Amino acid sequence: QVQLVQSGGGLVQAGGSLRLSCAASVRDFTFSSHVLAWFRQAPGKEREFVATISGDGGRSIYGDSVKGRFTISRENVKNTVYLQLNMLKPEDTAVYFCAARRSSVLVITPPLYDSWGQGTQVTVSS
């Protein structure tokens, strides 16, 4: 398993930007063998897929609600994945989670990820 530690997040006005980071601890230098993803969960709602990225960073998938506004990226030399959030809206308010799975297949379903970060709050004011 991979240990994931998140940073970033906070309070921002609508239209603003934030960057989330998620640093991974892997025992055998296999970070690039892991698909990474971001999900979010608002109060009273199910966990929602945001974005996922392949091990080499060459492929990514975005949820419909964030396409064109959010960007997922990774730096394998730093064992870190990022989520850049631009043009934020109040409906983006949620706890954001990073997740990892050792695979080359991009998936958007939470149960298929076996390692999770601790979550970080993003609040967008109108």
Side-chain angles (χ1 to χ4, degrees), residues 4-9 19-23 38 80-85 98 118 120:
L4 302 172
V5 178
Q6 298 179 221
S7 60
R19 188 174 83 156
L20 307 182
S21 300
C22 175
W38 289 93
T80 301
V81 62
Y82 305 97
L83 185 68
Q84 179 68 39
L85 298 74
C98 61
Q118 80 276 19
T120 186

Side-chain angles (χ1 to χ4, degrees), residues 91-104:
E91 51 264 44
D92 294 319
T93 295
V95 177
Y96 285 70
F97 297 89
C98 61
R101 68 189 298 260
R102 188 165 182 172
S103 173
S104 61

Side-chain angles (χ1 to χ4, degrees), residues 4 18 27 29 44 60 66 68-69 83 89 97 107-108 121:
L4 302 172
L18 284 172
R27 287 186 178 181
F29 304 100
S60 58
V66 306
R69 300 188 299 121
L83 185 68
K89 305 174 182 180
F97 297 89
V107 296
I108 65 172
Q121 179 70 45

Side-chain angles (χ1 to χ4, degrees), residues 3 11 14 16 22 27 34 47-48 60-62 67 75 77-78 87 90 93 97 99-100 107 109 112 115 118 120 124:
Q3 290 188 324
L11 174 64
C22 175
R27 287 186 178 181
H34 289 76
R47 194 160 294 191
E48 177 189 8
S60 58
I61 300 174
Y62 292 90
K67 280 180 183 175
E75 284 190 83
V77 293
K78 294 183 178 180
M87 296 182 285
T93 295
F97 297 89
V107 296
T109 308
L112 296 180
S115 299
Q118 80 276 19
T120 186
V124 184

